[in-house]
Amino acid sequence: FRLNVDQDKSKEYRSKLIGKTKRKLIGISWKSASKNKNMGNRFISLEQFIKGIYLPNICFVSLQYGEVDKEIDSIKKEYGIEINQIKEIDNFNDIDKLSSLIFACDEIVSFANITVNLAGAIGTKCYTLLDTNSTWRFGVNNNYCYWFESLKLFRRIKHKTWDKCLYEIRKELHT
């Protein structure tokens, strides 16, 4: 069973973002708005996130909801790294268009939020960052998700930085 998406929209978004180039289109989401204290620290700065996974052959697109324009502009100004946005999509309120955008991507890198659930439901490969005390649905020590076979889980070691997880994801993106 997979969630259906508007494939014409997905093709339109993909064409808009990478045209006919052979670059990988990677969707990113680096934080969650959840207030669940049991979930731990489920976000990092966009700067740390993008520096950890950056490769020059990648076209990044933001799947992040909320006000992120300043963060994205700062990354372009400071590092020359372009993170595209499709302004016509409200990543918080328009699940249909967000799903089509996720489907347009080759791979997704995200903390556990709605992006991960949609990617899993659609079948898009998604590298998921989990804190040490993630929810039960991701299991305890496994690197796979019981419900969504397209997810690969990367767990932060207790009280450590996210650097090792980001490094491992960058290796995955490089292949």
Side-chain angles (χ1 to χ4, degrees), residues 30 45-48 50-51 67-83 85:
W30 57 97
S45 71
L46 175 57
E47 178 181 20
Q48 183 184 2
I50 206 72
K51 284 173 53 180
E67 285 298 318
V68 295
D69 292 348
K70 288 180 184 177
E71 290 176 90
I72 289 173
D73 292 343
S74 175
I75 294 301
K76 183 172 183 174
K77 183 178 178 183
E78 183 75 23
Y79 301 101
I81 299 172
E82 183 91 24
I83 300 170
Q85 294 178 282

Side-chain angles (χ1 to χ4, degrees), residues 3-4 13-14 24 41 45-46 76 81 89-91 103 105 125 137 159-160:
L3 184 69
N4 289 326
Y13 295 150
R14 187 170 180 85
K24 271 187 173 180
N41 185 6
S45 71
L46 175 57
K76 183 172 183 174
I81 299 172
I89 300 175
D90 178 343
N91 290 345
F103 191 75
C105 295
K125 185 184 268 188
R137 69 180 187 258
H159 305 300
K160 301 286 183 182

Side-chain angles (χ1 to χ4, degrees), residues 110-170:
S110 179
F111 280 84
N113 61 22
I114 187 65
T115 302
V116 167
N117 294 307
L118 288 173
I122 292 165
T124 300
K125 185 184 268 188
C126 181
Y127 304 114
T128 306
L129 292 144
L130 297 173
D131 203 9
T132 51
N133 53 334
S134 59
T135 64
W136 62 269
R137 69 180 187 258
F138 293 113
V140 179
N141 293 315
N142 47 304
N143 69 349
Y144 58 90
C145 180
Y146 299 109
W147 288 270
F148 301 124
E149 64 184 40
S150 64
L151 303 187
K152 185 167 184 181
L153 310 178
F154 294 83
R155 296 173 187 279
R156 181 169 78 150
I157 299 169
K158 194 171 187 172
H159 305 300
K160 301 286 183 182
T161 69
W162 290 101
D163 294 346
K164 185 176 187 308
C165 294
L166 295 171
Y167 174 77
E168 293 298 322
I169 290 171
R170 182 174 40 207

